[in-house]
Amino acid sequence: MISNLRPNSIVMTMLLLNLLFDVLNLPLVFAAGIDQFVYSGFAGANITIDGVATVHPNGLLDLTNAHARLKGHAFYPAPLRFRESPNGTVKAFAVSFVFAIHPNYRSSQGMAFFIAKSMDFSSALPFQYFGVFNSENQGNSSNHIFAVELDTVINMELRDMDANHVGIDINGAISNQSHAAGFYDDKTGFFNNLNLTSGEGLQLWIDYGGESARINVTMSPVGMARPATPLLSAIYDLSFSTVLTEEAYLGFGSAAGMDGSGHYILGWSFGMDRPAPAIDISKLPKLPRVGPKPRSKVPEIVSPVATAAFVLAVGITAFLLVRRHRRYAEVQEDWEVEFGPHRFSYKDLYYATQGFKSDNLLGVGGFGKVYKGVLPKSKLEIAVKRVSHDSRQGMKEFVAEVVSIGRLQHSNLVQLLGYCRRKGQLFLVYEYMPNGSLDKYLYHQDNTRLPTLNWTQRFRIIRGVASGLLYLHEEWEKVVIHRDVKASNVLLDGEMNARLGDFGLSRLYDHGIDPQSTHVVGTIGYLAPELACTGKVTPFVDVFAFGIFILEVVCGQRPIEQDIREEKPMLVDRVLEHWHNESFIEIVDSKLAGDYDVNEVYLALKVGLLCSHPFMDARPTMRQVIQYLESARASPELTPIHNTFEMLAVMQREGFDPYIMSYHSSIAASIVSAGR
Ligand SMILES: Nc1ncnc2c1ncn2[C@@H]1O[C@H](COP(=O)(O)OP(=O)(O)OP(=O)(O)O)[C@@H](O)[C@H]1O
Ligand SMILES: *[C@@H]1O[C@H](CO)[C@@H](O)[C@H](O)[C@H]1NC(C)=O
Ligand SMILES: *[C@@H]1O[C@H](CO)[C@@H](O)[C@H](O)[C@H]1NC(C)=O
Ligand SMILES: *[C@@H]1O[C@H](CO)[C@@H](O)[C@H](O)[C@H]1NC(C)=O
Ligand SMILES: *[C@@H]1O[C@H](CO)[C@@H](O)[C@H](O)[C@H]1NC(C)=O
Ligand SMILES: *[C@@H]1O[C@H](CO)[C@@H](O)[C@H](O)[C@H]1NC(C)=O
Ligand SMILES: *[C@@H]1O[C@H](CO)[C@@H](O)[C@H](O)[C@H]1NC(C)=O
Ligand SMILES: *[C@@H]1O[C@H](CO)[C@@H](O)[C@H](O)[C@H]1NC(C)=O
Ligand SMILES: *[C@@H]1O[C@H](CO)[C@@H](O)[C@H](O)[C@H]1NC(C)=O
Ligand SMILES: CC(=O)N[C@H]1CO[C@H](CO)[C@@H](O)[C@@H]1O
Ligand SMILES: [Mg+2]
């Protein structure tokens, strides 16, 4: 079934094979370093697998084995020599494989073939990026990975064209070239679509030209002759020092979606400096059937002893189940079936957080407590937010929204992984952010010995939050308004990238889940004035809060002093005064010790003030904000109205209620005391 030839294999084998190929009239010339292999099924094959990957007894290589949120890889066991010297030209090579993706899993993330510098993919995300990249190393030229992705979800951040495409990837999941899956008909020249997740076998060919640096990718349904016109044909020199290493590993990767997965490889072949050997289609393993399982016949019970043992076993199991049921009881209603994949079991969360032990408490917020946990199977680190709720009203809508929010993916957002419900409690499961929330760095509370962030880090955080917000506002299929942008909702990942958390959560209030709270959605100090007047929620509400956030990060001061007896003007007013008398340097965080780029600080303060403009219409959109921050476009001058006292006067003249409008002054303190 398998002919698996390696370089330096004994001369005898080579001679024999040469003879064999001569008989078959195949032009094969053996020279040093030429490799080829072919697997027509993987039963008993020497391949290296990791993660949840497995080979079924019938020889089907299954990368994700019906798991959810786990990754798997399969490799040719030895590295192959792609260049003769570290800077030598990468040789021509050809790959062919037959694969299938099971259609039952809607969030299946697809899979990728790759050539990589090592077999270590431990840092790849288990639920995204084909189990090959993570959000930090994605696009990094030190990855040395060439991949062809078979992508079955649409991810705006990766500039995906659709949820059914093939792409050529160099060092990251943003494709250099991609095309909807399919083939060009040899006779008519018309393009025919193919469905990656149909559950049917598909064959793919990858050819690299060596000197020509041309990469061709061709696909067809299994069994059809190879189409003459490639699906993708790109020029990309894999000899660039950033791509293939002298020796590299070949393999496949896949990350299971939120609701399980089935990514199969049926056959695989490779040729260095020659075409990939033909895969014997007739020997390929059978695919699991698509659709409901046929009912299995109940086996006849053989003897009365076995019957007695069986009854006893059932009794004990039932007893244990009842006991277990009590401990891990959950609330699950019929309508939730649809969201099943995004539901975590209470048991898993209970184990992950060691029974919600106080040692694992990360913090307490307006909604409830947040615990750190490690999922038992995948070892994925998570943060679990436990929210108490009394009302069942609106729960369905809320869960639907949670699931929809879970589909948002961006490197500056904290990924929401799923939820769980229990009597009176709702659990939201997020990616864990090892470096905690930004407010801890700015104010050094809890006697933590956290470092002071320097200006470079702060400016990067500001830009990161801006691009996360732009994604929410403009780049996803729906407009998502965060409504609670603030320093404690900006989390820092292992590489100190800013990740915005808690987006969409403000809807909890709308669904009556936080009955004891009387406060307006959002947080005092970050609330746009029009919210108090009209209650109208637009993306500019977030722009306002983002402006206050910038001022906070630059000045290292809270928007409103927490001690409300001391009547200190709000941060934005203090910044304005300094801005107008041209002493803005005085308000910059003294912890920076003057070590910053004055132009950037000036730009940041100006954008902060523009965004926190009391008039909604005067605020920029997040897209403009990003342009200003990247200095691609000169930011407009601040309008003179941006002075609280003048503004109040204007507003009174226009008939606004002066009490409500006094949000910008110390009267806000009275709202603070009425809040949480
Ligand atoms: N994904 C996460 N990873 C690590 N720590 C987290 C995560 N999410 C929250 N935390 C920590 O838990 C604390 C409490 O978070 P929580 O969101 O409940 O409150 P908050 O952000 O202060 O207020 P709000 O309820 O308005 O969001 C945060 O300050 C943060 O330190
Ligand atoms: C599998 O292949 C690797 C690399 O060529 C080799 O080291 C190993 O001995 C092989 N294992 C078996 C069981 O053949
Ligand atoms: C190969 O590249 C390295 C780094 O780019 C360089 O230092 C070295 O001189 C090169 N070797 C040859 C033989 O060109
Ligand atoms: C790329 O990865 C290397 C090694 O992991 C790291 O040192 C470097 O900072 C990364 N570069 C970027 C731009 O992220
Ligand atoms: C693809 O790679 C080529 C060659 O490096 C480059 O010129 C081109 O801009 C890339 N295209 C995309 C979309 O990344
Ligand atoms: C692909 O096939 C599956 C299963 O038949 C179906 O659910 C899915 O909608 C199809 N996708 C496309 C893009 O046609
Ligand atoms: C890629 O496809 C084109 C068009 O069919 C062909 O001319 C070229 O030789 C192919 N290159 C490789 C490396 O297969
Ligand atoms: C800021 O801190 C980071 C991380 O500690 C460091 O890499 C960088 O060099 C610092 N930048 C400046 C300008 O000090
Ligand atoms: C600017 O205004 C601030 C706040 O009122 C004040 O403390 C500071 O002395 C003023 N500076 C100048 C140069 O007038
Ligand atoms: C400043 C800081 O705390 N950095 C830490 C962020 O998280 C990574 C990974 O956990 C640590 O290595 C850093 O020291
Ligand atoms: Mg929060």
Side-chain angles (χ1 to χ4, degrees):
M1 206 182 236
I2 304 132
S3 93
N4 186 350
L5 317 181
R6 274 172 289 111
N8 315 322
S9 54
I10 33 173
V11 180
M12 200 58 200
T13 328
M14 291 231 246
L15 287 176
L16 275 172
L17 279 162
N18 228 345
L19 208 70
L20 183 73
F21 280 109
D22 279 345
V23 171
L24 295 174
N25 206 11
L26 287 174
L28 283 189
V29 187
F30 281 94
I34 294 185
D35 309 43
Q36 69 168 19
F37 60 78
V38 53
Y39 299 94
S40 301
F42 295 87
N46 185 3
I47 54 159
T48 305
I49 54 178
D50 73 14
V52 291
T54 184
V55 176
H56 293 294
N58 72 351
L60 184 66
L61 170 57
D62 185 344
L63 294 171
T64 45
N65 197 15
H67 283 87
R69 303 182 201 89
L70 290 174
K71 57 188 169 178
H73 304 98
F75 306 89
Y76 183 71
L80 299 182
R81 216 174 162 76
F82 282 88
R83 314 174 185 244
E84 284 311 328
S85 66
N87 308 3
T89 308
V90 167
K91 291 181 263 189
F93 63 84
V95 182
S96 169
F97 60 91
V98 177
F99 70 98
I101 301 177
H102 202 284
N104 276 11
Y105 310 103
R106 271 184 300 162
S107 72
S108 155
Q109 303 276 312
M111 53 189 270
F113 164 82
F114 56 74
I115 304 179
K117 67 175 173 188
S118 83
M119 295 207 252
D120 180 10
F121 286 88
S122 52
S123 64
L125 280 182
F127 50 85
Q128 226 185 319
Y129 302 132
F130 322 109
V132 177
F133 305 104
N134 62 41
S135 49
E136 274 112 49
N137 73 11
Q138 131 79 15
N140 188 327
S141 60
S142 66
N143 287 341
H144 298 289
I145 295 177
F146 160 72
V148 171
E149 60 171 57
L150 302 162
D151 197 341
T152 54
V153 290
I154 188 161
N155 185 334
M156 293 299 286
E157 197 198 342
L158 303 179
R159 299 179 210 138
D160 283 350
M161 52 186 299
D162 61 17
N164 188 55
H165 62 269
V166 180
I168 295 173
D169 294 354
I170 311 289
N171 290 328
I174 298 179
S175 302
N176 182 274
Q177 205 183 91
S178 59
H179 197 292
F183 63 93
Y184 291 95
D185 190 291
D186 283 348
K187 288 202 195 83
T188 64
F190 286 142
F191 180 69
N192 294 303
N193 281 300
L194 285 174
N195 182 343
L196 293 175
T197 54
S198 66
E200 306 285 333
L202 297 169
Q203 185 159 9
L204 198 99
W205 292 266
I206 303 162
D207 295 274
Y208 179 65
E211 292 290 346
S212 75
R214 183 169 290 280
I215 305 166
N216 286 350
V217 178
T218 314
M219 84 185 291
S220 77
V222 70
M224 189 180 118
R226 174 179 174 157
T229 313
L231 176 64
L232 291 169
S233 188
I235 299 274
Y236 198 104
D237 196 349
L238 301 182
S239 307
F240 284 148
S241 58
T242 51
V243 199
L244 294 190
T245 46
E246 193 177 351
E247 289 205 320
Y249 291 86
L250 304 181
F252 297 93
S254 180
M258 301 294 176
D259 53 349
S261 53
H263 299 99
Y264 312 107
I265 310 289
L266 295 86
W268 180 20
S269 72
F270 175 81
M272 185 81 87
D273 253 343
R274 71 178 63 195
I279 297 168
D280 188 344
I281 303 296
S282 65
K283 288 190 181 144
L284 295 183
K286 287 240 168 348
L287 281 165
R289 50 176 290 128
V290 168
K293 271 191 194 156
R295 234 167 247 270
S296 67
K297 285 176 204 138
V298 181
E300 286 160 49
I301 292 160
V302 205
S303 75
V305 180
T307 316
F310 180 74
V311 168
L312 194 68
V314 168
I316 292 173
T317 316
F319 171 76
L320 290 177
L321 280 180
V322 166
R323 212 178 63 172
R324 220 171 83 137
H325 181 76
R326 286 230 187 96
R327 179 179 301 173
Y328 304 121
E330 301 176 11
V331 178
Q332 187 152 21
E333 291 172 77
D334 292 345
W335 54 261
E336 284 188 77
V337 172
E338 189 187 334
F339 308 119
H342 301 269
R343 219 188 131 109
F344 280 81
S345 75
Y346 179 68
K347 190 171 149 221
D348 279 357
L349 297 185
Y350 187 88
Y351 276 126
T353 56
Q354 296 169 303
F356 297 96
K357 214 159 97 188
S358 55
D359 290 359
N360 288 344
L361 188 66
L362 287 171
V364 185
F367 294 104
K369 292 179 175 169
V370 182
Y371 294 86
K372 185 191 167 169
V374 180
L375 283 178
K377 271 185 237 123
S378 59
K379 301 279 171 277
L380 184 67
E381 288 186 312
I382 51 170
V384 183
K385 180 173 266 199
R386 184 158 77 171
V387 182
S388 58
H389 71 90
D390 302 329
S391 144
R392 291 168 82 204
Q393 196 196 359
M395 205 57 202
K396 183 171 177 181
E397 290 77 7
F398 182 69
V399 169
E401 210 159 287
V402 165
V403 169
S404 120
I405 287 167
R407 286 178 22 237
L408 289 161
Q409 291 183 341
H410 189 272
S411 54
N412 295 108
L413 295 182
V414 180
Q415 175 83 37
L416 177 64
L417 300 174
Y419 79 103
C420 172
R421 285 206 309 142
R422 227 181 164 224
K423 193 162 170 281
Q425 286 172 333
L426 173 72
F427 301 86
L428 296 168
V429 182
Y430 292 93
E431 235 182 312
Y432 173 67
M433 294 290 126
N435 286 323
S437 51
L438 181 63
D439 55 333
K440 304 211 166 75
Y441 291 81
L442 293 178
Y443 311 118
H444 295 261
Q445 61 216 49
D446 309 334
N447 302 324
T448 47
R449 292 172 173 268
L450 290 172
T452 299
L453 300 177
N454 65 29
W455 175 249
T456 320
Q457 289 169 305
R458 292 190 197 204
F459 200 47
R460 202 165 85 94
I461 287 168
I462 291 173
R463 283 178 303 185
V465 174
S467 76
L469 269 178
L470 173 64
Y471 174 77
L472 292 180
H473 289 178
E474 295 183 28
E475 293 178 346
W476 201 53
E477 55 200 54
K478 282 190 281 193
V479 176
V480 177
I481 301 172
H482 188 296
R483 294 219 261 171
D484 203 6
V485 175
K486 59 173 170 176
S488 78
N489 280 341
V490 171
L491 294 143
L492 298 166
D493 67 16
E495 313 232 308
M496 300 300 274
N497 296 309
R499 307 276 215 102
L500 196 50
D502 285 346
F503 41 90
L505 259 208
S506 47
R507 299 285 293 204
L508 273 172
Y509 293 116
D510 293 352
H511 293 301
I513 282 166
D514 192 11
Q516 66 269 43
S517 163
T518 49
H519 71 241
V520 211
V521 176
T523 303
I524 292 297
Y526 298 88
L527 291 177
E530 74 269 15
L531 274 180
C533 302
T534 63
K536 200 170 152 214
V537 180
T538 65
F540 290 108
V541 165
D542 285 348
V543 174
F544 183 90
F546 177 67
I548 302 288
F549 168 78
I550 297 185
L551 303 182
E552 192 177 356
V553 174
V554 176
C555 307
Q557 293 173 40
R558 291 181 193 282
I560 299 182
E561 277 313 310
Q562 291 204 315
D563 186 359
I564 55 165
R565 277 156 302 195
E566 193 190 330
E567 293 217 349
K568 210 171 165 188
M570 289 181 64
L571 176 60
V572 62
D573 287 346
R574 276 177 286 142
V575 173
L576 262 178
E577 273 177 51
H578 283 285
W579 186 268
H580 284 305
N581 69 12
E582 284 167 352
S583 60
F584 74 91
I585 292 293
E586 287 169 24
I587 193 126
V588 179
D589 192 353
S590 57
K591 291 201 282 307
L592 288 170
D595 188 7
Y596 48 77
D597 180 329
V598 178
N599 291 325
E600 282 178 0
V601 165
Y602 177 84
L603 178 66
L605 284 176
K606 186 168 168 185
V607 173
L609 288 174
L610 266 174
C611 290
S612 57
H613 196 288
F615 285 169
M616 192 174 96
D617 300 339
R619 289 173 217 152
T621 63
M622 284 318 295
R623 191 170 293 283
Q624 289 170 319
V625 166
I626 286 181
Q627 284 165 345
Y628 301 153
L629 289 176
E630 303 294 341
S631 310
R633 215 168 104 185
S635 53
E637 283 312 308
L638 293 170
T639 53
I641 195 78
H642 202 310
N643 171 308
T644 313
F645 306 108
E646 279 179 41
M647 183 207 69
L648 279 174
V650 171
M651 290 205 147
Q652 259 171 7
R653 242 182 283 139
E654 293 188 0
F656 284 104
D657 179 341
Y659 174 75
I660 290 174
M661 291 322 301
S662 61
Y663 81 99
H664 241 195
S665 70
S666 55
I667 301 172
S670 59
I671 313 175
V672 179
S673 50
R676 17 179 131 133

